[in-house]
Amino acid sequence: MNCRFAPCASLVLLLAACGDDGVAGTDSSTGTPGSSSGGSAPSTSDTPTTTVTSASTSGPGETTSGSTGQVSATEPGTATGSTSVDPSASDTGSSTSVGPGSTSGSSTGGSTGDPPCPDGTILCEGNNVKTCDGMGGFKDEAVCPDVCIDGVGCKLCVPGEAECMGDNVLVCNDNGDAKDIVDTCDGIQGVTCNPDQGACEGACSTAALGLSYIGCDYYPTVLQQHDGYNTNPPHEYAVAVSNTSNVAAMITVTRGANMVVQQMVAANSVQLITLPWVNELTKSDAASVLVKDGAYRLRSNNPVTVYQYNPIKATTTNDASVLLPVNTWTGNYLVASWDFWASFNYPGFYAVVAHSDGTKVTITPSATGNKVRAGGGVAADGNGVIMLDDGDVLEVVNSAADLTGTIITADKPVQVFGGHECTNVPLNVTACDHLEESMFPIETLAKEYLVVPPVQVPNDQLEKAQMVRIIASEANTTLVFDPDQPVAKNLAKAGDFVQIATTTAKFLVTADKKIMVAQYMVGQDGGYGTSDPAMLLAVNPLQWRKSYLVHAPTSWVANYVDLMAKTGTTVSVDGVNAGGWKVIGNTGYSYTHVKLSNNGNGNHSIMGDATVGVGVYGVQNYGSYWYPGGLDLDVIPQ
């Protein structure tokens, strides 16, 4: 006889084959063929059976049983469960074959199964696509050139499916009609594409790195500096590469298509790498600029941390930044800068660095940042929409304004710096110093920060004053201080900030929305010992870590780390437990200062039995640098 099976769902499970019309099932209760109750009788040798292990109702003419059982062959279009059926026993109370889409049961007459699949339903058998006609058949059939997706039909690919194409990872989009490049496996970073997984793999792959200041792909960027201190020799722009792993790391530095240097960094060590100044970014402050391939790109084949020094050796004007690896960049930033210093016509600045070609950057000035030196696509009122390619740098300088609070958004990840060419803190004293810091993405900001001052030199039993800015990332932000501080507690708009004047206060600031906190070391003429202005971004406790390897150049008169932790935490610096902890109000936090030895190579390890916040700084006569020792960069919910 002739059998036809027409599936009506994506899972087709055939429970019966074409059988012999003369083969009858056996009732389990009485042994009477065709009966639905009683004992058992042996099956005949010519009764084919199929074992099923799951329940599913399929297309026209077949229905599976609800449990594992033996199914005997029946007429076309009829399916049975664990009870055998005699096709000839239609008048004995048993169910019989009732055609496509029906299910036999134990009741007399009538169909109890699913109807044929609805008209227009699209089904796949391999790469064959079929459209149901609503009557148990199909009104058209075709072969898909690529893939067939149930309910959809022919598509280029299966949504979400990943594959390798050379060094690129391609993922099928949600519509199944295009494959987008979502990652590139960089051989310089020792990363390859696994064709079985459709993903990059290796110690420097995105999946392996996580989100912290430890990474494999960085963009060191020369920034504005006093022109008397940005020429080599004797002043050198440099990066310090810290390798905390137990294997050596090969560092490759390029600028655009040009190789600059390759340098091996031994396991558990720090290597200084001097790089040429980029004059377009550091010497000219007459206008804002867009410099093609203005940034360096530094890549490693093993995870490292990178700090940049502008310049590296102790001079009259210095500062340093912890660099953030590309895998932690986003498209949302606030700027922390400083006032235009009219006394010497030195500007504050911010800089935006792109990683991908065709990056669209939108600048929205803060209430205080609406006067800039136009250029590079940014208007005099601070607004602009600029396109950047990989390695391009947009550097914006102010004019009789303060760029702090400016909001930068981009449609692809970027890096942002903020700072000042050369200024004093506060502005009413003489002698200037360079400020710079790498901005943290808004996604990684939090609602709680601990603020402590640095120490004085030469009397480091005293603390040095600082000025502090708390910047809102959203409108209508409310602040609370412990202990309380004499500033306004409400910030009306995103980008607004309050400034705590010259102070040695230690406090915890919390907010009902995400904030950014910037600290500015008071200059030497401010009356708090040796050193000049430097800038630090506070790290919120959620991003603190248990271990750090930092570098403090030994050319400085004195180097220190400030440590912050939950009261009772044990922290060691170079293997020696830190003492002198002081409690901060009723916050549950404590802090201490530790002087670093200049007898070694400048590398220092910090370990805690719980997470700890770290600030690193160095001072000399009218000079200083300051940077966060490191941080995690997990996305923190609003």
Side-chain angles (χ1 to χ4, degrees), residues 341-425:
W341 200 27
S343 298
F344 288 91
N345 200 35
Y346 293 147
F349 65 81
Y350 63 79
V352 184
V353 186
H355 171 61
S356 301
D357 290 345
T359 298
K360 180 181 178 181
V361 178
T362 302
I363 308 298
T364 305
S366 64
T368 62
N370 57 359
K371 294 180 179 64
V372 307
R373 298 175 180 178
V378 179
D381 65 359
N383 286 284
V385 177
I386 303 95
M387 298 300 296
L388 300 179
D389 290 333
D390 179 27
D392 291 352
V393 179
L394 171 69
E395 187 174 54
V396 177
V397 292
N398 65 5
S399 174
D402 187 337
L403 299 173
T404 298
T406 295
I407 297 173
I408 296 172
T409 57
D411 62 353
K412 298 175 185 177
V414 295
Q415 174 178 239
V416 176
F417 295 91
H420 203 285
E421 178 177 317
C422 195
T423 191
N424 216 323
V425 180

Side-chain angles (χ1 to χ4, degrees), residues 485-575:
Q485 301 300 309
V487 293
K489 305 302 192 295
N490 298 103
L491 298 168
K493 296 181 294 184
D496 284 357
F497 63 91
V498 296
Q499 178 172 293
I500 301 175
T502 304
T503 181
T504 58
K506 286 73 64 177
F507 58 87
L508 182 73
V509 54
T510 58
D512 59 347
K513 301 179 179 69
K514 288 186 175 187
I515 54 176
M516 185 165 72
V517 178
Q519 300 171 236
Y520 302 86
M521 190 183 295
V522 166
Q524 186 159 315
D525 290 340
Y528 290 88
T530 299
S531 80
D532 246 7
M535 176 182 175
L536 175 79
L537 286 191
V539 176
N540 70 78
L542 295 175
Q543 309 285 30
W544 290 354
R545 298 171 56 84
K546 289 185 176 181
S547 63
Y548 302 83
L549 179 62
V550 301
H551 183 75
T554 57
S555 60
W556 290 80
V557 170
N559 292 289
Y560 292 84
V561 291
D562 293 335
L563 306 176
M564 296 155 283
K566 283 285 189 181
T567 300
T569 301
T570 299
V571 183
S572 66
V573 178
D574 297 330

Side-chain angles (χ1 to χ4, degrees), residues 114-323:
D114 293 336
C117 64
D119 183 31
T121 301
I122 298 174
L123 302 175
C124 296
E125 289 182 351
N127 267 23
N128 294 324
V129 60
K130 299 181 178 183
T131 305
C132 295
D133 61 10
M135 298 179 291
F138 302 104
K139 57 186 177 183
D140 58 57
E141 300 183 20
V143 177
C144 294
D146 297 298
V147 298
C148 183
I149 301 175
D150 279 321
V152 177
C154 295
K155 286 291 182 180
L156 173 68
C157 51
V158 177
E161 192 171 78
E163 63 179 273
C164 296
M165 181 175 287
D167 293 330
N168 293 321
V169 176
L170 278 63
V171 173
C172 185
N173 69 11
D174 291 341
N175 295 324
D177 54 14
K179 299 177 182 180
D180 300 325
I181 296 176
V182 298
D183 203 358
T184 299
C185 307
D186 187 353
I188 292 178
Q189 298 178 54
V191 177
T192 58
C193 194
N194 183 335
D196 295 329
Q197 302 295 325
C200 296
E201 63 179 10
C204 288
S205 65
T206 301
L209 284 174
L211 296 173
S212 79
Y213 74 124
I214 302 171
C216 298
D217 196 358
Y218 298 85
Y219 281 72
T221 305
V222 174
L223 301 166
Q224 281 289 340
Q225 174 61 275
H226 187 294
D227 285 352
Y229 301 93
N230 56 10
T231 300
N232 183 22
H235 308 293
E236 298 175 327
Y237 167 78
V239 294
V241 181
S242 172
N243 178 12
T244 60
S245 71
N246 57 5
V247 296
M250 175 59 73
I251 306 301
T252 301
V253 181
T254 55
R255 184 177 169 198
N258 300 317
M259 174 68 70
V260 178
V261 66
Q262 280 192 315
Q263 177 76 55
M264 186 71 73
V265 181
N268 297 303
S269 69
V270 178
Q271 179 69 48
L272 291 177
I273 301 176
T274 300
L275 299 172
W277 293 97
V278 178
N279 289 340
E280 303 96 314
L281 293 171
T282 191
K283 289 186 178 294
S284 174
D285 62 9
S288 301
V289 294
L290 194 167
V291 181
K292 305 295 291 183
D293 293 326
Y296 293 102
R297 187 178 185 187
L298 184 153
R299 286 174 283 178
S300 172
N301 64 354
N302 272 304
V304 295
T305 59
V306 182
Y307 311 90
Q308 69 177 30
Y309 295 85
N310 183 348
I312 180 66
K313 294 179 181 178
T315 66
T316 299
T317 171
N318 300 77
D319 209 353
S321 300
V322 57
L323 297 185

Side-chain angles (χ1 to χ4, degrees), residues 324 328-335 405-409 439-447 449 471-474 494-495 513-516 540 543 633-638:
L324 306 183
T328 67
W329 295 6
T330 75
N332 299 288
Y333 293 85
L334 283 174
V335 168
T406 295
I407 297 173
I408 296 172
T409 57
M439 301 293 101
F440 305 148
I442 289 176
E443 289 87 344
T444 69
L445 299 180
K447 302 175 184 178
Y449 291 83
I471 311 163
S473 69
E474 296 183 57
K513 301 179 179 69
K514 288 186 175 187
I515 54 176
M516 185 165 72
N540 70 78
Q543 309 285 30
L633 287 151
D634 298 316
V635 173
I636 297 176
Q638 293 284 358

